[in-house]
Amino acid sequence: MPTTYDPKEAETKWYEYWKQNGYFQAGKRPDKETFTIVIPPPNVTGMLHIGHALDFTLQDILTRMKRMQGFDTLWLPGSDHAGIATQTKVEQKLREEGITRYDLGREKFLEKVWEWKGHYNGIIRDQWAKIGLALDYSRERFTLDEGLNKAVRQVFVKLYEKGLIYRGKYIINWDPAARTALSDIEVEYKEVQGHLYHLRYPLKDGSGSIIVATTRPETMLGDTAVAVNPKDERYTHLIGKTLVLPVVGREIPVIADDYVEREFGSGAVKITPAHDPNDFEVGRRHNLPQVLVMDETGTMNENAGKYNGLDRFDCRKQLVADLQEQGVLVKIEDHLHQVGHSERSGAVIEPYLSTQWFVSMKPLAERAIAAQKSGQGTRFVPDRFERTYLQWIENVRDWCISRQLWWGHRIPAYYCEDCGELHVSLDEVTACAKCGSGNIRQDEDVLDTWFSSGLWPFSTLGWPEATDDLKRYYPTSVLVTGYDIIPFWVSRMIFTALEFTDEIPFKDVLIHGLVRDSEGRKMSKSLGNGVDPLEVIEKYGADAMRFMISTSSTQGQDLRFRWERVEQARNFANKIWNASRFALMNLEGVQLEDVHLNRKLSASDRWILHRLNETVRDVTRLMDQYEFGETGRLLYNFIWDDLCDWYIEFAKLSLYSDHTEAKASTQAVLAYVLDRTLRLIHPFMPFISEEIWQHLPHEGETIMLSEWPQYDPALEAPEAVGEMAFLMDIIRSVRNIRAEVNVPMSKKIELLLKPADSQAQAALERNTEYLKRFCGTSLLEVNASLEAPAKAMTGVVTGAELYLPLAGLIDIAQEIARLEKEIQSLNSEVERVEKKLANQGFVAKAPAKVIEEEKAKMADYSAKREIVAARLAELKG
């Protein structure tokens, strides 16, 4: 093995090896239980970001572990056409060339978008490879491929035939720049400093007026009523009366509706059914006219009277001046409020009355809610996100699924231009079934991206055909995704799956947080704080990025990206490399048949096997609970502390000795522990683990297919753990004392040990070689009858007192001060435990085991305090 680890060389080599040999492909274990994940498909709008890296790494970790556990694992890759997002990108590119999509026409424009898709799909695949994702490329899908298009048409037609898809007028989010409806997730709310305009609407009979307020005065041109609360005594006498709409002169009624909050503003609100979603509902309840005063570009139309042809914001300025001139503008207040903007074009969103296609959500939602509440639904991890899911689906509105775009699944609805008949069909309609005319026009709109991605877990496996993959790998095992798209994507996958497959689409939904910058801010282009995962990999390697990003947060919590954490993960990888390199240098000639534990093992051998066994047990349990952060902490502590800092140092004694049997035992244990450790770390750090594993005595072609370590009761060795803990306490104590008086390890010292009992004495005598080496002694004495020297540094551990005679190197006054400080510390610990045990509430509620543990601590602290106090008295004497 080279002196240093080269991530770039290893990553390129091993990913190509895994891919070429088909190790990522599912179906090679037909008699085994399946484990399936379908990747949340990234949009083909550009490069993957650090949030994708987190999401995909967690899935890769799970897939690699399950494969090693013997499952027939399928991790299905794919990408999303992303409707408006992709079309916007391509249109921007065309504008740079001085043309628009209308110059090209629909067919030529779509050719351009397919070219874009091909280019960025290739980039995404390259990024998947750089991150090290074990994806089954033989099953890769795209939301606009032929099979998924068939599934989309099938769902649309079936829902239409059941009366769950309809066409009608409704208020939707409208992007005047892109000229399309938007889903809620495509609307970004920004805090804007605007104005609140207070307007006086006069009563027709001249008996007074009502004051209303609005942030969008241009919409008043479409007002068809003013509403008040029916219980508001200020206005009950006006209900049913007629107002005259200023500037326009249209007569509108005063109506009563519980929607109006009496305490808010004047208690009266203008009702504009064609330009506000709440007003639309009020208007439906009261059969009010729907007056649309803008066109699709945000330009005022003929219903706006003299403002016809003005941009909406120019209209606002002119209208406010006219209202002021008429004396009906009461006042203008500064008003900070949230304004919806198109995430794609940046334009201010217009709530807009439009003829669109909708899914009637109530029947679909009711089934999903019933499944969840009966315990037959998906398990959310963490479980608090089940509330987010239920809250949205219990209050869901009908879903606007049509988009005024060219890129997407075109709606399979056809209109007869001669008789007006509507046909919804799986197949293209060329002749009218009613009148026989061939003058047929397909609906121009496409479906919302979420309509096709909502079918992703089963459409990717071949539905609506009863494919072998669908039968074997569906329902899937787990979905990994961020909390921000639970309503928009997770919910839709659940209710469509229940409707069309009669099963939930995934057993578990693992929710992770967002990746934020080091200050906790959301990453964005405007802030310039985004992180490119490829930049991280280029600088520190894929394994370092994977380990950092997957273990740096708790379930469902946001993660702060810090470069220093990636550096720490890189240092961890280097620690593994250096320790493994040392081990391999001392395993020359060792064959696989030599690596067995049926030998005479030392205490340190039994201790490291015990610690490995505990780590295997706990890591497996935590991984099954999706506790990646805690898993990472356990692996880091075991590898860095137990294996590298302690065991490998202990192992050097026998590895460098002439004792053949002891050396062979240590070699076997070292090879065994390193092999199992690499398997445990492999899902997190696949490249470095493969590179090292290939140099070890092993069986099989790749660590990817090696068996996941299993807990073995035979490896439990609590007595060895106790013995090694005793030795390590002494070694740490000696090193701490050396550090206090600046005595380097290179300087030999005398060490006198006074064991507390015969068991401690036997343990010390069995391990004198360890103590001599790691304490750096010229003389080591173990004696239960030892008298403390007059001039010595003193240490106390559980089971022994230790003295370092350091005549000429020690300042007695300094040692007295140190011991007095230690007495204070022990006094604090004794006092803390005393208070705890004196607390009747604690004693009454705490388990007996916990109380016993506290009592044991009390006895230990008290014994140490007595020893230190005695030594202090000696020195002062």
Side-chain angles (χ1 to χ4, degrees):
M1 283 174 62
T3 307
T4 56
Y5 174 59
D6 180 359
K8 290 179 186 176
E9 190 272 334
E11 288 162 14
T12 303
K13 174 177 68 178
W14 290 119
Y15 197 80
E16 201 55 36
Y17 173 75
W18 294 328
K19 193 175 172 185
Q20 290 299 323
N21 284 281
Y23 298 142
F24 299 160
Q25 287 183 18
K28 296 182 177 181
R29 297 168 173 170
D31 56 333
K32 298 293 185 180
E33 188 179 345
T34 60
F35 179 84
T36 311
I37 295 180
V38 289
I39 200 168
N43 297 343
V44 288
T45 48
M47 315 284 275
L48 300 181
H49 53 67
I50 198 71
H52 288 117
L54 168 63
D55 193 67
F56 298 160
T57 298
L58 295 182
Q59 295 168 64
D60 193 51
I61 288 169
L62 290 172
T63 306
R64 286 179 181 273
M65 175 189 171
K66 290 298 179 181
R67 184 183 292 108
M68 294 172 78
Q69 287 181 322
F71 287 79
D72 177 12
T73 57
L74 168 60
W75 188 16
L76 189 147
S79 51
D80 196 324
H81 68 281
I84 187 173
T86 305
Q87 178 160 319
T88 301
K89 291 278 189 182
V90 177
E91 287 196 79
Q92 285 173 350
K93 188 181 177 192
L94 291 177
R95 277 197 295 274
E96 292 168 7
E97 299 170 12
I99 57 175
T100 70
R101 61 171 158 142
Y102 302 104
D103 296 327
L104 293 175
R106 188 167 192 147
E107 190 175 327
K108 291 290 185 184
F109 174 75
L110 289 178
E111 287 177 9
K112 292 283 186 184
V113 190
W114 277 105
E115 287 175 13
W116 174 283
K117 178 263 175 184
H119 175 69
Y120 279 98
N121 228 53
I123 290 175
I124 287 169
R125 283 195 205 100
D126 289 344
Q127 290 177 300
W128 283 341
K130 294 279 189 193
I131 298 170
L133 308 184
L135 294 157
D136 186 346
Y137 291 99
S138 69
R139 289 172 166 86
E140 185 176 354
R141 304 304 299 268
F142 178 56
T143 49
L144 271 178
D145 69 26
E146 185 179 343
L148 270 68
N149 189 48
K150 182 178 180 182
V152 166
R153 291 175 72 94
Q154 177 95 330
V155 167
F156 187 96
V157 171
K158 292 296 182 186
L159 290 177
Y160 179 80
E161 289 172 351
K162 291 182 74 169
L164 295 177
I165 281 183
Y166 64 92
R167 191 167 183 258
K169 285 190 172 184
Y170 207 84
I171 287 280
I172 43 86
N173 299 312
W174 184 263
D175 181 340
R179 301 186 201 179
T180 182
L182 298 178
S183 65
D184 291 340
I185 198 173
E186 293 165 325
V187 179
E188 184 179 6
Y189 286 90
K190 301 177 183 177
E191 200 165 57
V192 173
Q193 181 64 60
H195 297 92
L196 192 60
Y197 302 86
H198 296 261
L199 311 176
R200 179 183 289 109
Y201 287 17
L203 286 155
K204 181 184 177 184
D205 62 11
S207 62
S209 62
I210 292 179
I211 294 175
V212 298
T214 180
T215 58
R216 299 157 65 219
E218 65 277 7
T219 63
M220 69 165 287
L221 302 171
D223 286 359
T224 54
V226 166
V228 298
N229 191 288
K231 297 174 184 174
D232 192 336
E233 296 174 356
R234 293 173 294 174
Y235 298 113
T236 48
H237 65 291
L238 298 178
I239 296 169
K241 286 201 169 190
T242 301
L243 296 165
V244 178
L245 187 61
V247 177
V248 180
R250 184 165 62 243
E251 295 181 1
I252 60 175
V254 179
I255 62 172
D257 197 284
D258 290 328
Y259 156 68
V260 183
E261 298 178 30
R262 286 182 287 179
E263 297 77 17
F264 185 76
S266 67
V269 295
K270 59 190 281 299
I271 301 299
T272 320
H275 291 279
D276 183 277
N278 294 314
D279 293 2
F280 175 78
E281 296 296 342
V282 173
R284 287 214 295 193
R285 287 196 289 273
H286 296 270
N287 295 313
L288 296 175
Q290 299 167 335
V291 180
L292 196 65
V293 297
M294 294 179 204
D295 67 15
E296 295 177 349
T297 66
T299 302
M300 309 309 290
N301 63 19
E302 64 278 2
N303 292 329
K306 69 175 188 176
Y307 307 102
N308 184 13
L310 287 178
D311 173 78
R312 54 184 168 157
F313 298 119
D314 293 334
C315 171
R316 179 181 298 179
K317 292 175 187 174
Q318 183 61 53
L319 179 59
V320 168
D322 292 347
L323 291 167
Q324 205 157 16
E325 187 179 328
Q326 285 194 11
V328 294
L329 180 60
V330 179
K331 62 178 177 179
I332 303 175
E333 292 180 311
D334 288 339
H335 183 59
L336 193 66
H337 62 139
Q338 297 286 325
V339 177
H341 291 69
S342 170
E343 192 179 54
R344 308 305 175 188
S345 71
V348 173
I349 292 303
E350 195 64 45
Y352 190 74
L353 183 65
S354 176
T355 301
Q356 303 285 345
W357 288 90
F358 295 87
V359 174
S360 181
M361 285 300 304
K362 190 176 179 183
L364 298 169
E366 284 174 346
R367 184 172 181 186
I369 294 164
Q372 199 66 29
K373 291 190 172 180
S374 68
Q376 302 302 307
T378 292
R379 181 173 75 108
F380 283 83
V381 182
D383 59 7
R384 67 179 183 274
F385 288 107
E386 182 179 27
R387 292 194 298 275
T388 305
Y389 163 67
L390 284 172
Q391 185 177 17
W392 183 82
I393 205 163
E394 286 173 345
N395 297 283
V396 71
R397 296 187 301 178
D398 283 2
W399 174 18
C400 175
I401 55 172
S402 47
R403 296 290 180 269
Q404 290 64 53
L405 304 170
W406 289 352
W407 174 245
H409 293 276
R410 197 162 171 184
I411 290 174
Y414 303 82
Y415 307 94
C416 177
E417 298 284 60
D418 291 334
C419 73
E421 184 73 4
L422 168 65
H423 304 272
V424 172
S425 171
L426 281 172
D427 303 312
E428 184 180 358
V429 175
T430 55
C432 177
K434 184 176 180 182
C435 71
S437 170
N439 191 11
I440 302 294
R441 172 181 61 87
Q442 186 176 357
D443 198 302
E444 293 289 318
D445 290 353
V446 300
L447 288 163
D448 178 12
T449 304
W450 299 105
F451 193 93
S452 52
S453 59
L455 316 180
W456 189 250
F458 52 95
S459 64
T460 52
L461 293 170
W463 189 92
E465 305 300 329
T467 63
D468 291 339
D469 275 2
L470 186 68
K471 293 172 188 174
R472 178 152 178 78
Y473 298 108
Y474 184 82
T476 66
S477 306
V478 60
L479 173 77
V480 182
T481 190
Y483 59 69
D484 52 330
I485 56 173
I486 292 173
F488 309 107
W489 189 45
V490 178
S491 304
R492 286 169 176 152
M493 285 190 284
I494 292 172
F495 68 68
T496 51
L498 284 169
E499 176 68 20
F500 290 98
T501 71
D502 287 322
E503 294 188 89
I504 56 167
F506 20 72
K507 298 180 182 72
D508 292 347
V509 177
L510 173 60
I511 301 295
H512 59 74
L514 307 179
V515 182
R516 298 184 178 272
D517 71 9
S518 59
E519 297 176 32
R521 300 174 302 176
K522 188 175 180 180
M523 293 184 179
S524 68
K525 288 182 181 177
S526 59
L527 290 174
N529 61 348
V531 175
D532 180 356
L534 295 193
E535 181 188 350
V536 184
I537 292 168
E538 177 69 22
K539 193 170 182 181
Y540 292 107
D543 288 329
M545 185 198 72
R546 288 169 60 108
F547 190 79
M548 182 283 296
I549 205 168
S550 62
T551 63
S552 292
S553 72
T554 54
Q555 287 179 349
Q557 298 297 313
D558 288 347
L559 177 156
R560 291 193 181 193
F561 182 92
R562 291 191 173 96
W563 283 100
E564 57 268 29
R565 284 186 180 169
V566 192
E567 190 171 350
Q568 288 168 4
R570 190 271 313 274
N571 294 343
F572 180 46
N574 288 341
K575 183 84 167 178
I576 296 170
W577 180 263
N578 292 333
S580 301
R581 189 166 173 273
F582 165 81
L584 288 163
M585 287 168 61
N586 288 277
L587 291 175
E588 278 190 36
V590 175
Q591 303 299 313
L592 185 60
E593 57 268 23
D594 300 323
V595 185
H596 61 85
L597 304 179
N598 186 24
R599 301 171 179 273
K600 184 179 180 182
L601 302 177
S602 67
S604 62
D605 291 337
R606 297 196 308 279
W607 165 74
I608 196 64
L609 290 169
H610 177 101
R611 284 292 299 118
L612 170 69
N613 205 35
E614 286 183 323
T615 305
V616 167
R617 178 195 64 204
D618 295 340
V619 163
T620 304
R621 172 179 55 82
L622 290 167
M623 290 279 275
D624 285 341
Q625 296 169 356
Y626 308 119
E627 292 281 5
F628 299 102
E630 189 63 13
T631 300
R633 186 189 66 80
L634 278 182
L635 286 170
Y636 186 95
N637 290 344
F638 171 74
I639 293 170
W640 193 291
D641 297 336
D642 295 340
L643 179 58
C644 298
D645 284 357
W646 285 108
Y647 180 70
I648 285 180
E649 292 304 312
F650 287 146
K652 288 176 182 178
L653 283 177
S654 53
L655 290 174
Y656 296 162
S657 75
D658 296 327
H659 196 300
T660 308
E661 187 180 345
K663 182 176 181 178
S665 295
T666 298
Q667 286 177 320
V669 170
L670 188 57
Y672 179 91
V673 172
L674 187 54
D675 171 86
R676 269 56 178 184
T677 301
L678 291 170
R679 298 189 202 193
L680 290 177
I681 203 72
H682 173 74
F684 293 87
M685 307 175 90
F687 295 111
I688 194 170
S689 56
E690 181 77 89
E691 180 70 29
I692 298 168
W693 188 82
Q694 292 286 350
H695 287 83
L696 279 171
H698 68 268
E699 187 176 19
E701 300 172 6
T702 171
I703 194 172
M704 273 187 67
L705 302 181
S706 65
E707 186 180 345
W708 182 257
Q710 295 186 27
Y711 172 77
D712 183 357
L715 295 181
E716 289 296 303
E719 77 294 337
V721 172
E723 186 167 312
M724 295 309 295
F726 181 35
L727 295 181
M728 288 187 280
D729 278 350
I730 292 172
I731 294 165
R732 274 190 288 260
S733 182
V734 170
R735 289 178 174 178
N736 289 340
I737 293 171
R738 277 177 171 273
E740 282 186 46
V741 293
N742 296 317
V743 177
M745 283 299 295
S746 58
K747 184 175 182 65
K748 297 295 184 181
I749 60 165
E750 293 182 12
L751 176 59
L752 311 179
L753 296 174
K754 184 178 181 179
D757 53 38
S758 59
Q759 187 177 355
Q761 178 154 349
L764 293 174
E765 289 173 348
R766 278 196 300 272
N767 294 285
T768 53
E769 290 304 312
Y770 288 140
L771 294 169
K772 287 177 183 177
R773 178 180 177 85
F774 297 112
C775 294
T777 64
S778 58
L779 171 72
L780 174 66
E781 181 181 344
V782 178
N783 187 345
S785 304
L786 189 70
E787 293 292 331
K791 289 187 177 181
M793 297 291 284
T794 305
V796 182
V797 299
T798 304
E801 301 168 42
L802 51 128
Y803 305 101
L804 281 69
L806 295 174
L809 296 176
I810 183 174
D811 183 317
I812 298 296
Q814 187 181 50
E815 174 63 356
I816 288 172
R818 186 185 73 82
L819 290 175
E820 285 178 337
K821 189 176 178 181
E822 190 168 346
I823 282 278
Q824 288 177 356
S825 175
L826 289 166
N827 282 339
S828 297
E829 292 297 335
V830 170
E831 186 179 343
R832 182 184 62 79
V833 180
E834 278 179 341
K835 284 181 179 177
K836 194 180 261 191
L837 292 173
N839 182 338
Q840 292 305 309
F842 169 75
V843 174
K845 294 178 182 177
K849 182 182 177 184
V850 173
I851 293 172
E852 288 306 313
E853 286 174 355
E854 291 300 320
K855 287 180 177 178
K857 286 180 188 176
M858 179 76 167
D860 189 40
Y861 292 141
S862 299
K864 287 178 179 176
R865 183 174 62 175
E866 286 178 18
I867 293 167
V868 173
R871 182 58 182 152
L872 192 56
E874 285 176 17
L875 284 178
K876 286 183 175 180

